[in-house]
């Protein structure tokens, strides 16, 4: 019986290290050396995974044994030689074959929100200082003497003047303003802003008032009152805004907290900046003095047409009283147009509108943007039905002057000073 493995011959019985050696020795029993457990460091650059330990001379153990010994051939995870995701051209994941972590959407949303809020804050602050710098604080109410005590709420005197400052000859002709020197008041309104409803009161320019003692705004000289009666707009023509405020306070007993004035050109510019103002005209009218020529019905007025609409008085039997009603009506439509989302949310429309308005406004020295905003939204609310609007109550006339109803004026002022709901009606 041949004890040698198949394929071996007797010549292999000799010295295994040289067949046919004269010093042939019987081969000693084979002894398998023990392999140390644990992974051995592969040669540098080899990229070969650690080899398994032999268990009782039986080679690889089963899967359970592999887990117990900590050995992983790499095949069960899809890792083969050189597949470490590094320079060997793996799948492009992180080292060790780990998958790329999912995006942190919460963190991204947080930083996006922070960025948006920061931009909005910077834009708002920048806009505030830009707008505040445009206000022309030229009226000094500290020069007004013998002022009445203030009541509850805030009273604004809003004046539309016929100032032609900065207008060219062509613009004066186009807007039918004429070329008179200086400036006079074409419209005057008191806006009361309070907690029990806001009130807008138009003061006809032909109102009969007493000219009181006053101190000249430029000269500082005191001019004693003589009891002389004038039309209200003559007070403005005599010594400007300060005397107008002094005259209104003297004849009503109502303290004026803030003063706002706008001229012809500024008014037309605001209307054009918002793209025109839609208004419904109840009855057609025409006036060669203002350039008005309107048909009845709903229509959109540009700056030139709007100025003609609010200035017209010769076309109406009620003259100045009808004009003040038209002025209130148009201001309601203008405030509504300015406050629409199409204007407020459109920077290409909002900034030109703000610029046109701020460039043309003259205010008192204590007026701030907050006060201006409060005035605007109160006016919008009044004309939108959330408040009261009326003409100063009239009892009759003295020549061409309109005489106020003293009893009603006193009741009206008491209600305003006490910030009560106004119950007085006007013409």
């Amino acid at each position: 019986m041949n004890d040698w493995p198949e394929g071996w011959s007797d010549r292999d019985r000799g010295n295994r290290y040289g067949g046919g050696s004269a010093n042939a020795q019987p081969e000693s029993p084979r002894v398998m050396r023990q392999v140390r457990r644990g992974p051995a460091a592969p040669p540098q650059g080899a990229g070969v995974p650690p080899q398994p330990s032999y268990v009782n001379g039986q080679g690889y153990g089963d899967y359970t044994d592999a887990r117990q010994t900590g050995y992983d051939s790499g095949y069960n995870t899809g890792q083969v030689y050189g597949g470490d995701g590094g320079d060997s051209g793996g799948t492009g994941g992180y080292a060790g074959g780990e998958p790329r972590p999912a995006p942190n959407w919460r963190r991204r949303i947080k930083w996006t929100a922070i960025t948006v809020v920061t931009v909005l804050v910077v834009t708002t602050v920048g806009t505030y200082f830009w707008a505040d710098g445009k206000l022309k604080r030229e009226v000094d109410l500290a020069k007004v003497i013998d002022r009445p005590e203030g009541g509850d709420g805030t009273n604004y005197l809003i004046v539309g003047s016929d100032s032609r400052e900065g207008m060219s000859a062509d613009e004066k002709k186009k807007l039918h303003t004429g070329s008179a020197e200086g400036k006079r008041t074409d419209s005057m309104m008191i806006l009361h802003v309070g907690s029990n409803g806001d009130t807008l009161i138009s003061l006809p320019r032909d109102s009969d008032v007493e000219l009181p003692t006053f101190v000249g705004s430029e000269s500082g000289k005191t001019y004693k009152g003589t009891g002389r009666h004038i039309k209200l707009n003559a007070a403005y023509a005599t010594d400007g805004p300060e005397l107008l405020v002094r005259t209104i306070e003297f004849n009503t007993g109502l303290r004026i907290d803030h003063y706002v004035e706008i001229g012809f050109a500024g008014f037309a510019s605001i209307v054009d900046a918002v793209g025109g103002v839609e208004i419904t005209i109840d009855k057609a009218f025409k006036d060669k003095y203002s350039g008005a020529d309107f048909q009845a019905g709903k229509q959109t007025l540009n700056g030139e047409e709007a100025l003609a609409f609010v200035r017209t008085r010769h076309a109406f039997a009620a003259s100045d009283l009808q004009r003040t009603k038209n002025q209130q009506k148009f201001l309601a439509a203008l405030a509504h147009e300015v406050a629409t989302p199409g204007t407020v949310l459109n920077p290409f429309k909002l900034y030109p509108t703000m610029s046109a308005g701020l460039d043309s406004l003259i205010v008192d020295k204590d007026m701030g943007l907050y006060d201006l905003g409060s005035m605007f939204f109160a006016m919008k609310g009044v004309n939108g039905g959330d408040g009261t609007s009326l003409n100063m109550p009239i009892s009759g006339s003295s020549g061409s002057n309109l005489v106020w109803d003293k009893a009603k004026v006193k009741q009206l002022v008491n209600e305003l000073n006490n910030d009560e709901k106004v119950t007085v009606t006007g013409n």
Side-chain angles (χ1 to χ4, degrees), residues 13-27:
R13 295 179 183 180
N15 190 345
R16 298 209 49 239
Y17 297 98
S21 172
N23 299 320
Q25 296 292 333
E27 184 178 7

Side-chain angles (χ1 to χ4, degrees), residues 406-426:
K406 292 184 179 180
K408 285 188 175 182
V409 169
K410 183 177 181 180
Q411 180 184 348
L412 173 62
V413 171
N414 285 337
E415 290 175 343
L416 294 178
N417 279 331
N418 295 322
D419 198 18
E420 299 172 351
K421 184 175 179 60
V422 171
T423 59
V424 176
T425 59

Side-chain angles (χ1 to χ4, degrees), residues 169-213:
D170 288 340
E171 288 174 329
K172 292 176 183 178
K173 182 178 180 180
K174 178 181 179 182
L175 297 177
H176 300 273
T177 65
S179 299
E181 295 297 326
K183 57 182 180 179
R184 287 148 294 277
T185 53
D186 254 30
S187 62
M188 291 163 283
M189 301 180 185
I190 294 174
L191 175 66
H192 173 81
V193 179
S195 57
N196 285 310
D198 305 321
T199 305
L200 183 64
I201 308 158
S202 290
L203 309 175
R205 57 177 284 174
D206 294 337
S207 295
D208 185 84
V209 292
E210 181 182 340
L211 185 65
T213 298

Side-chain angles (χ1 to χ4, degrees), residues 17-59:
Y17 297 98
S21 172
N23 299 320
Q25 296 292 333
E27 184 178 7
S28 61
R30 298 183 182 181
V31 178
M32 180 69 70
R33 66 184 178 87
Q34 294 296 322
V35 180
R36 181 175 298 173
R37 294 175 180 266
Q44 187 173 359
V48 179
Q51 301 301 306
S53 300
Y54 285 80
V55 181
N56 298 326
Q58 296 300 319

Side-chain angles (χ1 to χ4, degrees), residues 6-316:
E6 182 177 338
W8 286 28
S9 64
D10 288 343
R11 84 185 275 236
D12 295 318
R13 295 179 183 180
N15 190 345
R16 298 209 49 239
Y17 297 98
S21 172
N23 299 320
Q25 296 292 333
E27 184 178 7
S28 61
R30 298 183 182 181
V31 178
M32 180 69 70
R33 66 184 178 87
Q34 294 296 322
V35 180
R36 181 175 298 173
R37 294 175 180 266
Q44 187 173 359
V48 179
Q51 301 301 306
S53 300
Y54 285 80
V55 181
N56 298 326
Q58 296 300 319
Y60 299 130
D62 59 12
Y63 175 70
T64 303
D65 294 331
R67 287 192 301 170
Q68 293 173 348
T69 60
Y71 171 71
D72 184 359
S73 66
Y75 285 95
N76 63 329
T77 62
Q79 179 181 344
V80 295
Y81 297 162
D84 58 358
D87 296 336
S88 57
T91 60
Y94 285 89
E98 297 179 3
R100 187 180 299 273
N104 190 335
W105 289 108
R106 179 177 295 179
R107 187 169 181 270
R108 291 187 180 185
I109 292 173
K110 181 184 76 172
W111 282 107
T112 298
I114 290 174
T115 301
V116 171
V117 170
T118 301
V119 170
L120 288 176
V121 169
V122 171
T123 301
T124 302
V125 172
T127 299
Y128 175 88
F129 284 104
W130 166 78
D132 188 72
K134 279 183 166 291
L135 280 179
K136 299 176 182 178
R137 298 180 174 93
E138 300 177 1
V139 179
D140 189 0
L141 296 183
K143 294 180 180 180
V144 180
I145 63 172
D146 300 332
R147 308 193 68 188
E149 292 293 328
D152 296 330
T154 304
N155 299 314
Y156 297 84
L157 178 60
I158 304 170
V159 175
S161 76
D162 64 359
S163 172
R164 297 155 178 86
E165 182 178 354
M167 296 176 64
S168 67
D170 288 340
E171 288 174 329
K172 292 176 183 178
K173 182 178 180 180
K174 178 181 179 182
L175 297 177
H176 300 273
T177 65
S179 299
E181 295 297 326
K183 57 182 180 179
R184 287 148 294 277
T185 53
D186 254 30
S187 62
M188 291 163 283
M189 301 180 185
I190 294 174
L191 175 66
H192 173 81
V193 179
S195 57
N196 285 310
D198 305 321
T199 305
L200 183 64
I201 308 158
S202 290
L203 309 175
R205 57 177 284 174
D206 294 337
S207 295
D208 185 84
V209 292
E210 181 182 340
L211 185 65
T213 298
F214 68 97
V215 175
S217 58
E218 297 295 334
S219 66
K221 181 180 177 181
T222 299
Y223 297 88
K224 291 292 185 178
T226 61
R228 181 167 67 96
H229 281 242
I230 60 173
K231 290 184 178 180
L232 183 58
N233 68 331
Y236 182 96
T238 299
D239 197 49
E242 288 85 358
L243 180 54
L244 177 62
V245 171
R246 165 69 176 139
T247 303
I248 291 174
E249 290 185 344
F250 177 81
N251 284 269
T252 64
L254 184 70
R255 185 184 180 96
I256 301 299
D257 299 298
H258 290 295
Y259 178 92
V260 180
E261 178 186 326
I262 187 169
F264 282 164
F267 181 81
S269 296
I270 295 174
V271 175
D272 286 334
V274 297
V277 175
E278 186 177 83
I279 192 170
T280 299
I281 298 176
D282 298 326
K283 185 178 180 181
F285 64 89
K286 188 174 182 178
D287 180 16
K288 67 178 182 178
Y289 296 99
S290 67
D293 187 2
F294 297 108
Q295 299 299 316
K298 183 179 292 186
Q299 49 205 284
T300 299
L301 307 185
N302 60 25
E304 177 186 349
E305 294 166 336
L307 186 58
F309 179 80
V310 299
R311 292 184 62 217
T312 297
R313 62 171 178 156
H314 296 286
F316 310 121

